[in-house]
Structure formats: structure tokens, C-alpha cells
Amino acid sequence: MSSYLLECCVDSVESAVNAAQGGADRLELCSGLVIGGITPTPALYEQIRRHTGIPVHILVRPRFGDFLYSREEVSVMEGDIRAFRRAGAQGVVIGCLTADGSLDLEAMKRLIDAADGMSITLHRAFDMCRDPFEVLKQAKELGVHTILTSGQADTCVHGISLLNELTRLAGSSLTILAGAGINEEAVRILLQRTALTAFHMSGKKILESSMRFRNPDVSMGLPGLSEYEIWRTDPESIRAVRRLLQ
């Protein structure tokens, strides 16, 4: 059995099945991966449970954008966490910052209390914080199990220096989960230059929509994004990384 963890981020049943077939150990489930991911629906979670047998962690993010949340948004996130806990999800993926780039300890404590024993991942809000070493210390104190990070860089390969320092400081207290730009080539580099044991990827490929009629005068997508492109996890991309981690 591999000592490495491979997590795949998915936002559809099809991608979840592909990830499982490719050899992913765990899923991070979201909706709207094209905008960085937001909280998925319970119905999507239930469908994925029917089609896969690997653990599922739920991204809890109420909207696109920054990680500075109002009290009302935190309350929504608490409710979502409780609902997914009752539904049987193994973990949640969360992150809240203050306006000055610190970890929002009050909000994080509320969300962790709502999780009530679920596995806790601090997501890439960590990469947007002002002081990663202070936030790592606080995450340990809060009982966070995993930090998903690129090493505060655009991709993990560019964040190797910080990833190595975070791994050293984390010790056995929590897992540093490398994410952003993870593919076969990146993992090969990271295995050579770091002590990382956990990797997070989407393995996405872009599929063309089956729509034949397309109104040229109306666009429902975000600027620069076509609504006639569909993101799906490619099982071969997952499988290629899995082979490296055997």
C-alpha cells in the first residue's frame, strides 16, 4: 500500500468516477471548479456516494472571491457543515481570513465546532494569508488536520522553498497537502526536492459542449470563459500521478 495520499478535486459525478478509476485516495467535492470551487449540493454528494467508495471531503465556501466572510456567511457555512456531517461526509475543507490577512480564529472555531469530529482541511486561504508561519501555528492549536497550499506561489513547483519549511514545522501534527499545478511532471519534481507525502489535483481536461444551437448574441459565462466548455477529471492524468506514488 502506498504511503502517499492523492486527493482529487471534483465538481461532478463523472469527474468523481474518473478520479476513483484513476486511483485517487480521496475526493474534495465542490461545485463550480471553474471559479475555484464553492459549496456543493447535498444531492451531488449523495450521487457521488452511490457511484464511488472513497472518502469525500466537502469544500465549504459560500461564494466566489476572497475569504473575508460576514457573520451571516459564516452562519451559512456552519449550517452546510452540519448538513454534510449528518449525511456522512468524512471531512470539510474551510478557510476564513480577517481583513488584514490573518486567520479569522473566531470564524474558524465556529466552523470546526460545527464539524464536530470531522477531518478539517484549511484550504488555500492559507496561500492568501499575511504570515504563513503564524497561521500554521494557529492551525495546529485549532486542531486542523491538513493544510492545502501551493507554498504561497502560483504553482507548487514555484513554492518548493516554503513547502519544505512548512513540512518541517508541521512535523507529525498535521499534513501539508500540496495543491496548484499538480500533474505528473510536477509530482516527479516534488518527490525529488521535498518530503511531501500528500498531493491535491483536479486532473482536468476541457470537453466541448454537445450543444448544436448556440446563440451568438448572448453569453451566460464569465468574461473570458465559454459556457460551451466543460471541465472533467481525466482518469489518465490521475493514473499517471498514482503510478509515481506507488
Side-chain angles (χ1 to χ4, degrees), residues 12-13 16-17 41-52:
S12 69
V13 176
V17 170
T41 65
L44 177 58
Y45 169 71
E46 292 294 347
Q47 283 289 324
I48 286 173
R49 284 187 63 184
R50 292 189 187 102
H51 289 86
T52 70

Side-chain angles (χ1 to χ4, degrees), residues 36 88 109 113 137 157 161 189 204 206 220 232 242:
K109 287 175 183 176
D113 286 346
K137 177 184 175 183
V157 171
S161 178
I189 293 169
K204 61 182 176 292
I206 298 176
M220 302 298 288
R232 286 283 184 269
R242 179 79 272 169

